[in-house]
Amino acid sequence: MFEFISELSRWAIPVILLVVPLVAVLRGVKVYETFVEGAEAGFATAVKTIPYLVAMMVAISIFRASGAMEVLVASLSPLLGFVGLPAEVLPHAIMRPLSGGAALGIASDIVKTYGPDSFLGRLVSTMQGSCDTTFYVLTLYFGSVGIRKYRYSVLLGLVADFTTLVASVFIVSTLF
Amino acid sequence: MVNFVWLAMVVFGIVVAGINGNIEVVTKAAFDGANNAVKISISLIAIITFWLGIMKLAEEAGLVRALAWLVRPVMRFLFPSVPREHPAMGAIVMNLSANILGLGNAATPMGLIAMRELQTLNHSKDTASDSMCTFLALNTSCVTLIPTTIIGIRLLYGSSDPTDIVGPTIIATAFSMLVAILVDRLLRLFYSGKRR
């Protein structure tokens, strides 16, 4: 199963790159001109995200560097301990929605310290694999089209992240 | 809520730095954060430009519509306000498929394309529409079949079976996706009532 999926991932993009232009040609599309026409908006889309990402990443960076993150971890530990989350993976749980790179750093550190096949190693691996960097994705995607009012999406993203945490703890302690 | 979260991170960060006596880190952190943000955006230019070109080809060739047609029942349930033949449907499906396969650097541009299409259907251009909120919830809680990066790290530190977390990961994300869809429906009801 794993072999199959990993082969599929390896082939996915080359196959798309082969099939899409071929089908387009067969349907009478001018492939080069159409590609360029579509690609034109790429620069503007990327540049438009700059102010949004700057705003969010400055805030996250200050929050982390100042030590405020540790305060948050300490104050949230009773709540997360209540759902059975070990204290060692707390920083990861809190960092995961905020910063992808930092969360990956914490995850590698836990895997290295406790061993990849320990309970903590497996738990943090599952948490790392099953979440996404919610704030980054929200900022990037909304920023690219100029959305400023996020309505309930931040709350929704955090609820989903929290659910993943609880589910990870439950599944890893059941299976291993 | 994003206003609150943003302000809280900045204010709380500065206050804690002041109390800890290392207020000087704030300035450096702020500039580092800004610098990183610009670097990310710039490095996105290449990959977004590339995928926008491919997507335009796929659209003109009718492939996006075909893809959207394949998963129409699910999509109509999740995105009732998006018309059936709209390019947004295809783009959303492409993004979710890329996420499922763990193709991180292909998923992001597809997501940006989907947002652009959803924005064409949006009535107030600076406010997230219901469909946008649903799409982002699905995107961030989406089932990932192969969490490539963490498997690499497990391999690096000598795991006897680096991929044994794939099963638990799929179950955990499937569960959170389900909850995300349910909560999305509830919040949508609540917020649409409040907005009027």
Side-chain angles (χ1 to χ4, degrees), chain B residues 40-192:
Chain B
I40 291 171
S41 301
I42 296 296
S43 65
L44 275 172
I45 292 177
I47 190 100
I48 294 174
T49 305
F50 168 72
W51 279 111
L52 278 172
I54 294 292
M55 276 295 283
K56 182 81 183 169
L57 271 181
E59 212 181 299
E60 296 287 319
L63 285 168
V64 174
R65 221 177 318 134
L67 191 66
W69 181 83
L70 274 177
V71 285
R72 186 142 78 189
V74 185
M75 299 298 277
R76 288 216 55 77
F77 168 73
L78 290 172
F79 301 95
S81 58
V82 179
R84 16 176 89 199
E85 298 292 323
H86 199 273
M89 288 291 197
I92 293 171
V93 176
M94 295 282 276
N95 169 265
L96 294 181
S97 321
N99 263 323
I100 289 170
L101 291 178
L103 308 171
N105 41 2
T108 305
M110 305 287 189
L112 296 177
I113 295 165
M115 285 305 283
R116 236 167 41 130
E117 296 296 341
L118 288 175
Q119 179 73 327
T120 63
L121 297 167
N122 192 2
H123 300 300
S124 49
K125 297 294 178 200
D126 66 340
T127 309
S129 66
D130 285 350
S131 305
M132 288 174 171
C133 294
T134 308
F135 171 56
L136 275 173
L138 284 179
N139 181 291
T140 58
S141 68
C142 182
V143 174
T144 313
L145 290 184
I146 305 286
T148 333
T149 324
I150 194 71
I151 291 174
I153 286 173
R154 294 171 59 76
L155 195 65
L156 179 70
Y157 291 114
S159 169
S160 60
D161 187 1
T163 59
D164 69 358
I165 50 107
V166 170
T169 302
I170 293 174
I171 302 172
T173 53
F175 188 69
S176 92
M177 203 163 163
L178 210 69
V179 171
I181 293 168
L182 286 173
V183 173
D184 173 56
R185 280 294 146 101
L186 287 174
L187 287 174
R188 187 188 285 188
L189 277 177
F190 179 71
Y191 272 77
S192 64

Side-chain angles (χ1 to χ4, degrees), chain A residues 126-172:
Chain A
T126 306
M127 284 161 56
Q128 176 72 28
S130 56
C131 272
D132 208 330
T133 316
T134 306
F135 276 86
Y136 172 73
V137 174
L138 283 178
T139 313
L140 186 68
Y141 283 21
F142 281 153
S144 72
V145 291
I147 298 280
R148 297 204 173 99
K149 295 171 188 157
Y150 291 9
R151 287 173 72 219
Y152 55 86
S153 53
V154 173
L155 184 60
L156 181 56
L158 292 177
V159 167
D161 287 337
F162 186 72
T163 312
T164 316
L165 270 186
V166 178
S168 301
V169 174
F170 178 75
I171 291 156
V172 174

